[in-house]
Amino acid sequence: MNIGEIAKRAGVSRSTVSYALTGKRPVSEATKSRIQAVIDELGYRPNASARALKEGRTRTIGLVIPPAGRRLTDMQLGFVASVVDAAARADLDVLLSPSGGEHDRSFERVVTGRRVDGVVLMEIRLEDDRVARLLQSGLPFVGIGRTGHPEDMSWVDIDYETLIAKCVHHLADLGHRHLALVNRNAELVAAGYGPGHRAQAGFDRAIAERGLHGVHVCCADDAQAGQSCLGQLLAQHPELTAIATINEAAVAGMYRALAEAGLSVPGDFSIAGVAAQHWAENLHPPLTAADVPADELGASAVELLIQRISDPDTPHRHLLVAPPISLRSTTGPVRPRV
Amino acid sequence: MNIGEIAKRAGVSRSTVSYALTGKRPVSEATKSRIQAVIDELGYRPNASARALKEGRTRTIGLVIPPAGRRLTDMQLGFVASVVDAAARADLDVLLSPSGGEHDRSFERVVTGRRVDGVVLMEIRLEDDRVARLLQSGLPFVGIGRTGHPEDMSWVDIDYETLIAKCVHHLADLGHRHLALVNRNAELVAAGYGPGHRAQAGFDRAIAERGLHGVHVCCADDAQAGQSCLGQLLAQHPELTAIATINEAAVAGMYRALAEAGLSVPGDFSIAGVAAQHWAENLHPPLTAADVPADELGASAVELLIQRISDPDTPHRHLLVAPPISLRSTTGPVRPRV
DNA sequence: TTGTAGGCGTTATCAA
DNA sequence: TTGATAACGCCTACAA
């Protein structure tokens, strides 16, 4: 079923059908309705590949997510959902590319085969091959996250450095003197994962400013790891009374480790973090955290991308969000340990 | 950058470049390496739209997920991840379509614009417009889930009816006489969501077979709903000693409601369910549950779909899985309530 | 071993 | 207001 068939049955030329469909040229009411009738009868829809070939754009954006197999965090899922949602509202389709490995065929296909008009890139490292690849290709893209050279690209990001510093100050205000930062998993941080490094920088800075004692650990992104990780931490550093974290997936496990150690939250021990709002609220007890507006960030990324696609020579734009910390049930004044 | 440019620079014809790329005709080593050198230098990749137009296939599959905005369950996320993963292994791209509403533009685009070679459809209802639409369109598709007329289509599914019946029998064997089934959210079940209805059927059957007392409730798909839902249930039916559920998202809340009511698990109260293995294991306490192999199901769906794409006239195939119940920490013998 | 040419289904330019 | 026709970039008979 193609446009020629419709034209034949409606007794007009193919171009007239095309114009009746796009509205880019006036078509008389009579022929328009005749064409529409045939289209409805045969259920015709323009072939997307042909249209893309002719128009030079696909009306599709790529969304590059962390490799399949790895479990996405709740915040990452929020990004995916909001990107897909925002794209759908703009009548854009989303092509998913799980990538990040070495020679990633999926990523190459998406970037280089003109399959998409632009790309939203997630989980960016300070030095990121994919960013280099995209810059070189000239394909419009927007990062959710940024590299160490953030001026070269458009991005939306969370200001982990500021937020973790805020968490430390909040805890310091409550009298805590011995804090730990629980980071994401060690491989990710070692690979130059921006939030991991920026969180550590913010932590170190605030610790120094307030004259506190801080330790830093990486922890795999799941509850069991959180439990064993905090268990060890408490054994090695019994003086700790509070934790700041960007590892939302591990928090449930940390609660368990504290319960095991006979420490109540927030009576004996405080936790503050950076997490997706939905997640922080639904945790038990609800986590005192900087509520990351994942929905807005994804939508903003799509918005920026659409703009870059329509005008690639526009200067890069950046959006760095530092939401306020919502006080919930996991931070309280320090109570001297007996 | 197109094939003509490569041909010109390599001093050969376009067809020779094409054949050098596809290998469908022998090309001398000399010219082949010359062509490759030019390709590497210019970073050329064939235009996917042109190729799709010519070949009549896109090397892309559609994945229709529940509408954006709604939170996906852990099991659904497992399906998405495994479908994306399996597709990537087969060098297929995945186009995401959040749909399920009334007139869904995204769904129509995917199904009808020849944007994809086939579709994996999730969260299917007993009567499902999208299935009707796909059948009518002739586009190959595979359901994760099935309608009330399951012979008309290819699918993979979880045998909720059998599994919930098994849960009931397991609980009955432990001496429980008063059980409740906690279903998914009421709208979904009212809309004819298959697993909801089949779970209820299995529950009713097993309850009758064992001469037990059963109640049935729907519950929104989140922890807070689980908490309030079970709270009410315990108030209205104090005789209850066990629950069977397919609502994994609500389980954490049910734990809280039981703790609030002063009931220990599994000492005073048992819970058995159907859930993604990863989820059941990571819950605290770990849930006794039929471990749904979400990864395998997604991969199987893709496998079936690839087969249907390559041979659309093959008979429909079905895969109904009923994994064994893994005994973890949430079911135990009934203990008379004082 | 390589080149020529036609067509996949659209859109858009040029004529009428 | 409408029609004929030339691309878009690729693949693949058919020829040489």
Side-chain angles (χ1 to χ4, degrees):
Chain A
M1 184 51 43
N2 59 30
I3 202 171
E5 186 71 14
I6 304 295
K8 196 191 298 176
R9 302 218 190 187
V12 294
S13 73
R14 292 177 308 171
S15 54
T16 302
V17 176
S18 176
Y19 284 119
L21 242 32
T22 62
K24 295 188 179 175
R25 192 168 85 172
V27 174
S28 75
E29 277 306 321
T31 52
K32 205 187 291 185
S33 66
R34 194 149 33 95
I35 290 169
Q36 192 56 52
V38 178
I39 286 178
D40 289 345
E41 185 197 339
L42 301 190
Y44 162 80
R45 302 299 289 275
N47 180 307
S49 300
R51 177 176 273 183
L53 175 59
K54 179 64 183 149
E55 295 199 322
R57 59 175 185 156
T58 59
R59 297 167 193 274
T60 304
I61 63 173
L63 176 57
V64 179
I65 60 176
R70 269 237 322 275
R71 212 117 198 128
L72 269 63
T73 68
D74 210 68
M75 197 188 297
Q76 288 172 331
L77 291 171
F79 291 147
V80 172
S82 61
V83 165
V84 169
D85 198 19
R89 280 199 302 271
D91 280 332
L92 292 170
D93 288 318
V94 174
L95 200 61
L96 220 52
S97 170
S99 81
E102 308 77 67
H103 24 273
D104 201 303
R105 295 203 304 278
S106 163
F107 181 77
E108 282 301 319
R109 274 201 307 271
V110 165
V111 169
T112 199
R114 292 203 192 23
R115 285 176 90 41
V116 299
D117 299 334
V119 166
V120 172
L121 191 59
M122 283 176 58
E123 201 173 76
I124 296 178
R125 283 107 201 265
L126 292 173
E127 301 290 334
D128 200 301
D129 289 345
R130 300 165 306 167
V131 170
R133 193 80 192 70
L134 282 163
L135 284 172
Q136 169 197 357
S137 79
L139 191 65
F141 75 100
V142 172
I144 298 182
R146 63 198 198 276
T147 63
H149 312 281
E151 297 310 319
D152 297 345
M153 56 177 286
S154 289
W155 47 263
V156 301
D157 203 357
I158 300 158
D159 191 353
Y160 281 99
E161 181 166 350
T162 295
L163 291 177
I164 284 295
K166 269 196 205 170
C167 287
V168 170
H169 284 295
H170 167 58
L171 293 165
D173 290 343
L174 291 166
H176 297 273
R177 310 280 310 156
H178 295 271
L179 317 190
L181 170 67
V182 177
N183 211 318
R184 297 281 299 279
N185 71 79
E187 300 76 41
L188 197 61
V189 176
Y193 179 60
H197 288 260
R198 297 191 182 102
Q200 186 165 1
F203 183 77
D204 292 346
R205 175 165 57 80
I207 289 285
E209 282 172 12
R210 302 294 291 254
L212 309 175
H213 303 273
V215 299
H216 172 258
V217 291
C218 287
C219 173
D221 304 349
D222 63 82
Q224 292 183 350
Q227 185 169 3
S228 63
C229 177
L230 186 48
Q232 287 176 26
L233 203 56
L234 291 172
Q236 288 168 13
H237 299 276
E239 72 280 11
L240 286 177
T241 62
I243 274 179
T245 186
I246 64 169
N247 191 331
E248 52 181 26
V251 172
M254 297 191 218
Y255 285 172
R256 289 185 222 155
L258 290 167
E260 260 180 2
L263 298 173
S264 73
V265 174
D268 302 310
F269 205 95
S270 289
I271 304 185
V274 181
Q277 177 169 1
H278 164 94
W279 176 260
E281 283 173 351
N282 268 276
L283 219 52
H284 190 73
L287 184 71
T288 289
D291 292 338
V292 174
D295 293 2
E296 290 173 31
L297 276 180
S300 300
V302 171
E303 203 175 296
L304 255 56
L305 182 59
I306 289 173
Q307 203 167 94
R308 272 206 94 54
I309 290 170
S310 69
D311 186 2
D313 297 324
T314 210
H316 286 296
R317 289 176 54 195
H318 311 132
L319 175 64
L320 189 60
V321 303
I325 292 178
S326 292
L327 299 179
R328 298 203 178 87
S329 314
T330 57
T331 54
V334 71
R335 177 203 296 172
R337 209 74 62 72
V338 266
Chain B
M1 185 50 42
N2 59 31
I3 201 171
E5 187 70 16
I6 305 296
K8 195 190 298 176
R9 303 217 189 187
V12 295
S13 75
R14 292 179 311 171
S15 58
T16 301
V17 176
S18 177
Y19 284 119
L21 242 32
T22 63
K24 293 189 178 173
R25 191 168 86 170
V27 174
S28 75
E29 276 308 321
T31 52
K32 205 187 291 185
S33 65
R34 194 149 32 95
I35 290 170
Q36 192 56 52
V38 177
I39 287 178
D40 290 344
E41 186 198 338
L42 302 189
Y44 163 80
R45 301 301 288 274
N47 179 308
S49 301
R51 179 177 273 181
L53 176 58
K54 175 66 183 154
E55 295 200 323
R57 60 177 185 151
T58 59
R59 297 165 192 273
T60 304
I61 63 174
L63 176 57
V64 179
I65 60 176
R70 268 236 324 274
R71 213 115 198 131
L72 270 64
T73 68
D74 210 68
M75 197 188 296
Q76 289 172 329
L77 291 171
F79 291 147
V80 172
S82 61
V83 165
V84 169
D85 198 20
R89 282 198 302 269
D91 279 332
L92 292 170
D93 288 318
V94 174
L95 200 60
L96 220 52
S97 171
S99 82
E102 310 76 69
H103 25 272
D104 201 305
R105 295 204 305 278
S106 162
F107 181 77
E108 283 300 318
R109 274 201 307 271
V110 166
V111 169
T112 199
R114 293 206 197 14
R115 286 179 87 54
V116 298
D117 298 333
V119 166
V120 171
L121 191 59
M122 283 178 56
E123 200 172 79
I124 296 178
R125 284 106 201 268
L126 293 172
E127 303 288 335
D128 200 302
D129 289 346
R130 300 166 305 168
V131 169
R133 194 79 192 71
L134 281 163
L135 284 171
Q136 169 197 356
S137 78
L139 191 66
F141 75 101
V142 171
I144 298 182
R146 62 199 200 276
T147 63
H149 312 280
E151 299 309 320
D152 297 345
M153 56 177 286
S154 289
W155 47 262
V156 301
D157 203 358
I158 300 158
D159 191 353
Y160 280 100
E161 181 165 351
T162 296
L163 291 177
I164 284 295
K166 269 196 204 169
C167 287
V168 170
H169 284 295
H170 167 59
L171 293 165
D173 292 343
L174 291 167
H176 296 274
R177 311 280 309 156
H178 296 271
L179 317 190
L181 170 66
V182 177
N183 211 318
R184 297 280 299 278
N185 70 79
E187 301 76 43
L188 197 61
V189 175
Y193 179 60
H197 288 259
R198 297 191 181 103
Q200 188 166 0
F203 183 77
D204 293 345
R205 173 163 59 79
I207 289 286
E209 281 173 11
R210 302 294 289 254
L212 310 174
H213 304 273
V215 300
H216 173 255
V217 291
C218 287
C219 173
D221 304 349
D222 63 82
Q224 292 184 348
Q227 185 169 3
S228 63
C229 178
L230 186 47
Q232 286 176 27
L233 203 56
L234 291 172
Q236 287 168 15
H237 300 274
E239 72 281 9
L240 286 176
T241 62
I243 275 179
T245 186
I246 63 169
N247 192 331
E248 51 180 27
V251 171
M254 297 191 218
Y255 286 173
R256 289 183 222 158
L258 290 168
E260 260 181 2
L263 298 173
S264 73
V265 175
D268 302 310
F269 205 95
S270 290
I271 304 184
V274 180
Q277 175 168 1
H278 164 93
W279 176 260
E281 283 173 350
N282 268 277
L283 219 53
H284 190 73
L287 184 71
T288 290
D291 291 339
V292 173
D295 293 0
E296 291 173 31
L297 277 179
S300 301
V302 171
E303 205 176 295
L304 254 57
L305 182 58
I306 289 174
Q307 203 166 95
R308 272 206 92 55
I309 290 171
S310 68
D311 186 2
D313 296 325
T314 211
H316 286 296
R317 290 175 55 194
H318 310 132
L319 174 64
L320 190 60
V321 302
I325 292 178
S326 292
L327 299 178
R328 298 202 178 87
S329 314
T330 57
T331 55
V334 71
R335 176 203 298 173
R337 210 72 63 73
V338 267

